[in-house]
Amino acid sequence: MTTKPTAIRGMNDILPGTSATWRYLETAVQDIVESYGYAEIRLPLLEHTELFKRSIGEVTDIVEKEMYTFPDRNGKSLTLRPEATAGMVRAGMTNGLFHNQKQKLWTSGPMFRYEKPQEGRYRQFYQFDVEAVGYDGPDVDAELIVMSARLWQRLGISKIRLEINSLGTPEARHRYREALVEYFSGVKNQLDEDSIRRLGQNPLRILDSKNPEMRTLVEAAPVMLDYLDEASAEHFSGLKALLDAAGVTYSVNPRLVRGLDYYSRTVFEWVTDALGSQGAVCSGGRYDGLVEKLGGRATPAIGWAMGIERFVALYEACGGESPASDVDVYIAALGAGTLEQAFRLAEELRDKIAGIKVEMNLGGGSFKAQMKRADKSGAQFALIVGEQELADGRISIKPMRSTEEQSSVALDELATTLAENLS
Ligand code: ATP
Ligand code: MG
């Protein structure tokens, strides 16, 4: 017996109905970022494994345990992208986009991480990603945040709050790192296995631990803001002043470090309590050192990424509605020679009424069967093309969502009549 194919764990099919909401929300965010002058860039799903190791950092959750890495047929190690920034920077370097130029870019699509699948956490998930390369900030930092705030506002998403922090320069972080090593070494016997390993390699990552047992220890740890260099402190004040002026509320969360190595100075996260433990909806930060680390010229940059699944879930949790996906008109054809005319009519309506959704009855059937399908389609009107009507140059219109009687109009008045009556 053959067994049915199964889906891969943590990889979802986005079905019709749901996909309409996705597209509505994706379009909303695209419109907003384009209105700020960001342009789309499309990137491969695969990159050389080395790119992610070098940019995200070897001692991070993503590189240590979440990447889909495999040799291609030539034995080259490739990785399905776990995030978009590394590929975007690589593409900018490959195509000379950063040479004496500034870039404001957006991209979107699936990301892959081998995580434990649960509500809001999947192995293939989707991100919308914005990056501004070549800008020092803090003005662009504020713009990126204000842009996301506009998105929530436009969509009526209220159950969300903004947390910001600064990670300073690499030198400041180095001093902070030493303070962390000293602190965590003193409580080493209470650390979990991951944290003990990271203590030697990358103590900042302990702050990002997802283990609730580490929480109390992490809360008592030294905070980065006390180690901030003067220029970064000024940068951070500049950002706060701009957010204040724009009326965007935030709280400073000194524990916010973000799970990737390449961040410096500004980091932020939009979080919600409406989605259980997967509260991070949109996360971002500055990565001034990344281009140089990958072999380019020192180039400041900042970006954010939003998880689409969590964005959709939050929109719905805030009472957001899905756009209607029903058709407007269903065309039934009954009797000899009517099908050709019905087809012509359907095309004519699509030509004449912008955006109209017309569904043709396919596969024939009795009047009753066709009306049943018309009803199921959600159409406001069924158009009935019959032999007698055709002979008279007329067509019957049957309202499907009201008790109004069926009526008939002259064929050449149909488009105008429909356009007036479609809501
Ligand atoms: P988390 O703390 O939830 O693991 P993260 O810090 O790993 O998130 P980022 O790498 O910053 O997340 O990715 C940006 C956004 O992508 C997150 O804010 C979240 O909305 C989304 N995201 C990250 N990982 C997943 C996943 N496995 N499934 C669904 N969405 C995700
Ligand atoms: Mg994560």
Side-chain angles (χ1 to χ4, degrees), residues 171-363:
E171 297 72 39
R173 228 162 30 255
H174 188 75
R175 289 196 299 279
Y176 177 52
R177 184 182 190 276
E178 285 172 358
L180 278 183
V181 170
E182 197 182 316
Y183 166 77
F184 282 119
S185 298
V187 291
K188 197 168 173 182
N189 56 349
Q190 300 171 57
L191 294 179
D192 64 8
E193 212 178 294
D194 261 357
S195 302
I196 289 177
R197 200 167 35 78
R198 286 171 177 190
L199 181 55
Q201 298 171 314
N202 193 347
L204 246 85
R205 289 283 76 83
I206 303 178
L207 302 179
D208 199 42
S209 169
K210 293 269 165 13
N211 182 353
E213 284 167 29
M214 292 293 99
R215 190 155 307 151
T216 335
L217 284 183
V218 166
E219 258 154 39
V223 296
M224 178 62 219
L225 289 178
D226 293 336
Y227 293 81
L228 218 54
D229 54 288
E230 209 175 303
S232 296
E234 211 172 286
H235 192 276
F236 195 45
S237 305
L239 169 63
K240 289 189 284 187
L242 285 167
L243 291 178
D244 290 337
V248 175
T249 329
Y250 56 84
S251 61
V252 175
N253 174 1
R255 318 273 160 206
L256 184 65
V257 290
R258 311 274 300 109
L260 299 85
D261 269 2
Y262 53 58
Y263 288 111
S264 56
R265 290 195 167 164
T266 309
V267 288
F268 58 92
E269 209 156 79
W270 286 97
V271 286
T272 179
D273 298 321
L275 301 178
S277 45
Q278 266 49 260
V281 178
C282 175
S283 328
R286 182 163 275 288
Y287 49 94
D288 292 342
L290 184 56
V291 177
E292 194 176 16
K293 192 171 171 190
L294 294 177
R297 260 203 265 167
T299 309
I302 179 168
W304 55 247
M306 176 167 66
I308 303 288
E309 288 83 353
R310 296 183 195 178
F311 176 39
V312 171
L314 179 60
Y315 174 69
E316 285 170 351
C318 292
E321 303 212 336
S322 300
S325 56
D326 290 339
V327 300
D328 300 307
V329 171
Y330 192 96
I331 303 189
L334 282 153
T338 55
L339 192 59
E340 293 80 355
Q341 181 62 27
F343 257 93
R344 242 196 317 275
L345 197 69
E347 291 304 322
E348 191 188 317
L349 292 178
R350 293 181 184 114
D351 281 341
K352 288 189 175 163
I353 307 177
I356 191 173
K357 287 191 194 168
V358 181
E359 185 171 348
M360 261 300 292
N361 180 74
L362 300 175

Side-chain angles (χ1 to χ4, degrees), residues 61-62 66 113 115 121 125 208 210 258-260 310:
D61 273 348
I62 293 181
E66 296 175 356
R113 294 184 194 176
E115 301 204 65
R121 191 175 293 287
F125 63 99
D208 199 42
K210 293 269 165 13
R258 311 274 300 109
L260 299 85
R310 296 183 195 178

